Amino acid sequence: MQLRTSLKAIAIASFLSVALPLAALADDITTFTENGVAIKGTDPVAYFTEGKPVQGSSDYATTYDDVTWQFSSAENLARFEADPEKYAPQYGGWCATGVSFGYKIPIMPDKWSIVDGKLYLNAHDGAHRRFTERTDEVINNANTNWPTIKETPADDLG
């Protein structure tokens, strides 16, 4: 009986030693970060309150889903902390149009849209144009693809 318990403990410890580091890495996989900060340090709340991308500051930062998010003011930080799902961009901040094709593409903060109260970011003019011209199609396809690609590193999708 003691041998079985010991083997079980070893198996659990082995699993955790592999799974826990992978879980820590998964958040950088599911959320677009650059230099360790979500969405290139852009304040996600500012899209809603100022109608434009605004660079955040490390003076106003928080962690959400194990990723650092920066804000341009204490007020925006407080808004985000009160309701992060309202302000965090869709698809972990990856290019919405890219996700609609099954890829994770880094974004440009000035290529954005708010649709039905949700923030969508895109990678470049062409992706943003497609998003604005075919909004429903892009969102539907991205919503279908995201659960499949969410946990896959961007480099493994190409």
Side-chain angles (χ1 to χ4, degrees):
M1 178 73 166
Q2 188 172 5
L3 178 60
R4 179 175 283 163
T5 302
S6 296
L7 290 175
K8 185 176 180 181
I10 290 169
I12 291 171
S14 295
F15 171 76
L16 290 176
S17 70
V18 172
L20 290 179
L22 290 177
L25 293 174
D27 295 311
D28 286 341
I29 292 170
T30 62
T31 303
F32 170 64
T33 62
E34 186 170 278
N35 298 320
V37 180
I39 62 172
K40 297 189 176 192
T42 306
D43 178 343
V45 175
Y47 290 101
F48 295 89
T49 60
E50 297 186 41
K52 63 182 181 180
V54 176
Q55 187 62 40
S57 165
S58 60
D59 292 339
Y60 308 109
T62 192
T63 301
Y64 170 66
D65 277 346
D66 293 327
V67 174
T68 300
W69 297 77
Q70 293 182 343
F71 303 88
S72 57
S73 68
E75 294 80 14
N76 283 3
L77 169 60
R79 285 184 178 115
F80 186 86
E81 289 182 324
D83 193 359
E85 290 184 15
K86 176 179 179 177
Y87 297 107
Q90 300 302 293
Y91 320 120
W94 293 98
C95 175
T97 301
V99 172
S100 78
F101 286 102
Y103 298 101
K104 291 179 175 175
I105 302 170
I107 56 92
M108 294 301 299
D110 63 336
K111 309 300 177 204
W112 64 280
S113 298
I114 294 176
V115 178
D116 295 330
K118 296 179 181 181
L119 175 61
Y120 297 88
L121 301 171
N122 279 292
H124 49 74
D125 288 334
H128 187 64
R129 186 171 37 257
R130 183 176 182 88
F131 183 89
T132 57
E133 290 172 357
R134 299 179 176 192
T135 303
D136 291 340
E137 176 186 339
V138 170
I139 291 172
N140 287 335
N141 289 342
N143 286 344
T144 298
N145 290 336
W146 183 241
T148 304
I149 69 171
K150 180 178 180 179
E151 302 292 336
T152 304
D155 292 342
D156 291 352
L157 295 170

